[in-house]
Structure formats: structure tokens, C-alpha cells
Amino acid sequence: MTKVDLDIPRPPDQVFAALADGWSYAGWVVGATHIRDVDHGWPEVGTRIHHSVGAWPFQLEDQTVVRSVEPGRSLELHAKAWPMGTALIRFDLVPSASGGTRVTMTEKAATGPGSLLPEAVQTVLLAPRNRETLKRLADLVVRGDQR
């Protein structure tokens, strides 16, 4: 499983608020290019973000489904981008002594071609993307706090 961490200088409830805004995902999730719809009640278990992945005109339309959620603490997703496959993605939020949040993002290819790769290879491919995803999330949280 690929694991990356980042400290965000805001409390967990503010970080979770960004995770709970399904319409913002294309702004910080690397690869997501358009949010077509967000189910009412997001991020309750079973709700979905309907998204596009990739650059036009080569976009794939699929969805991401909430598998589990603990508001302010964690969010686990099942992301789909068929025919590339699916991935299990989890965000864990831990308060830091400074008042910020340590965000840990883990991802593992669940189905499709990526799931056939050894975990070490998945990590080499996914870690840079996921580090950038967390940096974008941090920018969104910090900018949103300054409005």
C-alpha cells in the first residue's frame, strides 16, 4: 500500500471539511478533471462523486464511493476509473501538538492492471501523485481559512 503524509497547519475539522466538499475534488485530486455530480449526503457511506479523469477528449467518466467515514478523523474511498481499474484510498487525520493536522493518505490498486503490479512498483508510481494531491489539499484548506 502506498502511504504519504503531510502536516497541514489547520485543525482536523477544517481539513475534514475540505474532504467533505465533494465538489472541490477536481481542484485538489491529481487526475480528476471534472465533477459531474455529488450524491446528496456526501460523504456518508455509499454516497458517490461522479467524476471525469484525464484530459479532454480522452476523459473517462466514473465514480468514487465512500466506504467508511469518521467525521474529523478518516475517510475511505473506492475510486473507479474503468478500464484502468479501481483503487482503495484512505485519508487519516491526526491532530498535532501545534494545532495542525497530520494527514496520511494510503492507496492501493484493487482491480485492473495496476493491481497486478508489486506494491513496491505501485508506490514508485503513486507516491509522487499522492504527495502532490496532499499539497493541493493543504493549499485549499489554508486558502479557504484566509477568506
Side-chain angles (χ1 to χ4, degrees):
M1 187 168 288
T2 301
K3 177 181 170 184
V4 296
D5 300 292
L6 183 67
D7 291 316
I8 298 178
R10 298 295 184 270
D13 61 327
Q14 284 185 282
V15 176
F16 190 81
L19 294 175
D21 178 5
W23 289 103
S24 75
Y25 270 52
W28 60 271
V29 174
V30 174
T33 55
H34 178 70
I35 304 302
R36 299 185 321 278
D37 195 18
V38 177
D39 287 357
H40 178 73
W42 172 271
E44 295 171 2
V45 172
T47 58
R48 300 165 294 168
I49 294 176
H50 306 269
H51 56 77
S52 301
V53 177
W56 185 88
F58 304 107
Q59 290 180 317
L60 299 172
E61 294 186 352
D62 229 314
Q63 61 188 354
T64 293
V65 182
V66 177
R67 291 177 43 109
S68 71
V69 61
E70 291 182 62
R73 301 188 67 191
S74 67
L75 180 63
E76 185 174 328
L77 307 171
H78 186 215
K80 302 176 183 179
W82 195 253
M84 294 183 297
T86 66
L88 299 176
I89 303 164
R90 182 174 176 92
F91 297 92
D92 288 297
L93 312 178
V94 177
S96 64
S98 65
T101 305
R102 169 68 109 167
V103 180
T104 301
M105 178 181 179
T106 55
E107 180 173 359
K108 179 178 174 136
T111 65
S115 67
L116 302 174
L117 298 173
E119 285 193 21
V121 175
Q122 287 186 41
T123 296
V124 167
L125 296 173
L126 294 174
R129 171 188 169 271
N130 292 354
R131 276 193 289 277
E132 178 63 21
T133 290
L134 289 185
K135 287 178 188 175
R136 292 179 184 189
L137 175 64
D139 288 343
L140 176 69
V141 172
V142 172
R143 273 196 333 262
D145 189 37
Q146 295 174 354
R147 289 183 184 165

